[in-house]
Amino acid sequence: IELDFKAQIYKALSQYKHRALDKAVVVAIGTHADPHWRSAVHVALFEDLGVEVDGYDAAFMDKDRRRLSAQQRQKAKDAFVRSFSASEFILELVEDVNQKQSSSSKEEKSYARNFDLNKLYTWASEQDKARFDRYSIYYDESRGKEYL
């Protein structure tokens, strides 16, 4: 992973927003939605909620962008809001960071990492000591409730 940790966070957040956008399209339009419907939902979410998802400019300029009915627009907004949870995004980050290192054992299922742990360590070490405890990224049993 070539990106620094902050850029990795932004990339993961962008992917998370795209998944929420995709869910909104399916709820509002259905699984048959073509890319022009996706553009319509993309633009509506920006106009109504101020949510900018990568690709907004292309969606806005889509000359064949569909027109959403008021009901479809509301369904898309509701679905996006239900699908976009800051705590769920943070949980995904924590799960990624805390997953076991890949091993040679074929019995253990290993997942691709979205975050490079060395980049996380570098980022933590560069933070202002007065405002951020760089060791807080490591689990501490005595403060276990802070990690839930």
Side-chain angles (χ1 to χ4, degrees):
I1 302 171
E2 298 298 320
L3 303 172
D4 67 14
F5 186 70
K6 187 175 180 179
Q8 290 174 25
I9 291 288
Y10 285 130
K11 180 180 177 188
L13 182 58
S14 174
Q15 292 168 345
Y16 188 80
K17 287 193 291 186
H18 273 282
R19 290 196 312 266
L21 173 63
D22 290 341
K23 290 175 187 175
V25 170
V26 169
V27 168
I29 309 303
T31 56
H32 65 280
D34 65 26
H36 307 297
W37 280 114
R38 189 176 200 279
S39 292
V41 172
H42 202 153
V43 171
L45 291 174
F46 178 75
E47 291 174 349
D48 295 354
L49 300 175
V51 175
E52 189 168 344
V53 180
D54 292 341
Y56 169 78
D57 291 336
F60 183 77
M61 293 187 303
D62 180 354
K63 66 180 180 59
D64 296 317
R65 178 172 21 118
R66 308 287 191 234
R67 299 218 185 277
L68 297 173
S69 69
Q71 182 181 14
Q72 289 170 321
R73 194 175 188 106
Q74 189 62 49
K75 279 183 172 181
K77 286 191 305 186
D78 292 345
F80 185 87
V81 168
R82 275 192 315 273
S83 299
F84 192 87
S85 161
S87 56
E88 186 178 305
F89 175 73
I90 291 168
L91 181 61
E92 284 185 16
L93 165 68
V94 170
E95 287 174 345
D96 185 280
V97 168
N98 289 328
Q99 69 176 306
K100 293 180 182 179
Q101 296 288 340
S102 38
S103 67
S104 59
S105 170
K106 293 181 182 179
E107 292 177 25
E108 266 189 60
K109 190 172 187 177
S110 103
Y111 298 95
R113 283 194 182 279
N114 291 313
F115 305 102
D116 182 323
L117 294 181
N118 290 324
K119 304 278 176 125
L120 170 61
Y121 305 147
T122 300
W123 172 84
S125 70
E126 294 170 347
Q127 300 311 301
D128 180 359
K129 291 178 186 178
R131 298 180 65 200
F132 179 77
D133 175 9
R134 65 186 61 184
Y135 297 104
S136 67
I137 65 171
Y138 301 104
Y139 182 76
D140 179 352
E141 285 182 20
S142 68
R143 296 175 21 207
K145 289 183 181 180
E146 294 178 24
Y147 297 90
L148 298 178

